[in-house]
């Protein structure tokens, strides 16, 4: 009898442990790959010179369709031992902020975002996946196919960029803008979305940024340099 009670007790403990709900921080549905445009970032922040003239990685953000994920519980960042890997990251995922550095930038991105997909992608795998997705989508090349280059501006720029990217990926992207001088708006980031295995998907409509469509704007601002008095631009 005592034995039976003990078995029941252990059975209950085991069932309790096994049936604990999964950590909410691991409940990510999809990834957002956020690429930033340094000429715009560096208009708004102090950057080391020379300013990089290609889209670079801001981050890969695991998210959930209904619940915003960030700063999940997970392992803290450790610096990579493989110098070739660090070199690869340095080219694709450089810190742009004069007051920070690569290590701090990567550590921040890992702790704020990477930990939310750590169940599937431990640190090295997460950074590796991010670089692979980035390498698959060279935004400047894609835009060039539609004759859009840095310096482009005008009311139609947002839809031109969008059409160009949709034609290439077949999926709905997202764009983020920041106010520039006068009544201009500058493209700062382009977001593409992926399922948890890294296949491109539409970015969820409910989570699209409306930052490129501010009221004062009749269009998108430039990819950079000279500012039209209104409209969107892609800084040069
Ligand atoms: C997204 O978050 C909700 C609420 O936390 C959770 O119920 C759901 O399971 C999550 N989605 C997935 C696919 O885990
Ligand atoms: C670095 O990137 C190159 C391709 O650019 C790749 O062949 C190589 O395997 C990468 N090295 C590491 C350690 O990830
Ligand atoms: C990253 O991926 C490349 C191939 O894409 C592979 O050669 C390399 O070993 C990986 N590096 C790490 C640290 O996982
Ligand atoms: C981009 O094009 C897709 C497909 O036509 C559309 O659903 C989406 O709303 C467009 N986005 C923007 C920002 O124009
Ligand atoms: C991601 O999409 C691909 C292509 O549709 C599919 O084969 C794969 O199973 C998907 N992964 C997940 C986790 O849903």
């Amino acid at each position: 009898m005592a034995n039976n009670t003990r078995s029941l007790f252990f059975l209950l403990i085991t069932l309790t442990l096994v049936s604990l709900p999964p950590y909410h921080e691991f409940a990510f549905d999809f990834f957002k790959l956020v690429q930033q445009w340094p000429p715009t970032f560096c208009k708004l922040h102090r950057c080391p010179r020379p300013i990089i003239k290609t889209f670079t990685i801001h981050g890969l953000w695991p998210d959930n369709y209904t619940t915003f994920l960030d700063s999940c519980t997970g392992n803290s960042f450790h610096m990579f031992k493989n110098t070739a890997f660090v070199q690869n990251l340095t080219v694709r995922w450089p810190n742009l902020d004069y007051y920070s550095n690569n290590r701090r930038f990567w550590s921040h991105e890992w702790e704020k975002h990477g930990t939310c997909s750590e169940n599937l992608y431990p640190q090295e795998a997460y950074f590796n996946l991010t670089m692979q997705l980035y390498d698959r989508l060279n935004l400047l090349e894609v835009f060039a196919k539609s004759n859009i280059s840095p310096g482009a501006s005008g009311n139609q720029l947002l839809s031109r960029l969008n059409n160009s990217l949709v034609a290439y990926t077949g999926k709905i992207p997202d764009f983020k803008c920041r106010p520039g001088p006068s009544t201009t708006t500058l493209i700062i980031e382009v977001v593409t979305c992926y399922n948890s295995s890294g296949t491109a998907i539409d970015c969820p409509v409910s989570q699209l940024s409306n930052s490129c469509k501010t009221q004062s704007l009749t269009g998108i601002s430039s990819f950079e340099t000279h500012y039209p008095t209104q409209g969107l631009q892609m800084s040069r």
Side-chain angles (χ1 to χ4, degrees):
M1 192 56 179
N3 247 356
N4 274 350
T5 309
R6 223 166 68 171
S7 306
L8 188 61
F9 177 73
F10 282 113
L11 181 64
L12 283 175
I13 295 275
T14 308
L15 284 178
T16 306
L17 289 177
V18 166
S19 64
L20 279 178
Y23 293 114
H24 75 276
E25 37 278 8
F26 290 154
F28 83 101
D29 297 324
F30 68 99
F31 285 115
K32 292 178 182 172
L33 174 67
V34 183
Q35 297 197 39
Q36 56 189 351
W37 179 239
T40 294
F41 180 93
C42 297
K43 279 204 172 341
L44 309 173
H45 302 87
R46 187 171 178 194
C47 294
R49 307 283 152 155
I51 290 168
I52 298 166
K53 297 292 173 68
T54 190
F55 281 90
T56 58
I57 300 169
H58 178 172
L60 183 67
W61 302 349
D63 213 339
N64 175 302
Y65 288 119
T66 54
T67 314
F68 178 71
L69 296 182
D70 104 15
S71 304
C72 300
T73 317
N75 288 306
S76 50
F77 182 80
H78 56 266
M79 194 53 193
F80 306 97
K81 296 215 165 62
N82 185 328
T83 56
F85 193 78
V86 170
Q87 195 47 46
N88 282 354
L89 274 176
T90 300
V91 172
R92 297 164 175 81
W93 202 332
N95 160 65
L96 301 177
D97 181 351
Y98 183 86
Y99 300 102
S100 187
N101 57 49
N102 286 347
R103 195 203 145 97
R104 275 170 64 190
F105 183 36
W106 299 337
S107 166
H108 169 82
E109 289 299 314
W110 169 253
E111 281 160 19
K112 184 165 181 190
H113 300 288
T115 50
C116 298
S117 55
E118 191 175 9
N119 60 328
L120 294 184
Y121 300 95
Q123 191 186 304
E124 270 73 9
Y126 168 80
F127 281 88
N128 207 339
L129 173 67
T130 308
M131 289 193 282
Q132 279 174 28
L133 297 177
Y134 172 81
D135 286 352
R136 258 195 244 159
L137 184 64
N138 183 328
L139 291 174
L140 279 186
E141 271 178 31
V142 170
F143 295 148
K145 288 182 207 295
S146 302
N147 292 316
I148 306 168
S149 52
S153 64
N155 295 349
Q156 298 308 311
L157 184 58
L158 180 60
S159 59
R160 288 172 64 213
L161 290 168
N162 186 56
N163 292 344
S164 169
L165 196 44
V166 169
Y168 186 79
T169 63
K171 305 295 172 189
I172 298 178
D174 193 17
F175 296 89
K176 293 193 204 171
C177 290
R178 291 284 183 275
S182 177
T183 55
T184 59
T185 297
L186 306 175
I187 295 276
I188 188 162
E189 288 177 339
V190 177
V191 182
T192 47
C193 299
Y194 303 85
N195 74 8
S196 59
S197 356
T199 299
I201 60 169
D202 287 338
C203 288
V205 173
S206 63
Q207 296 190 12
L208 298 182
S209 159
N210 282 315
S211 59
C212 296
K213 293 176 172 167
T214 56
Q215 266 190 325
S216 63
L217 276 183
T218 41
I220 283 197
S221 164
S222 111
F223 254 165
E224 181 216 313
T225 294
H226 69 284
Y227 302 98
T229 49
Q230 62 173 19
L232 187 63
Q233 308 178 359
M234 180 179 187
S235 307
R236 203 189 301 275

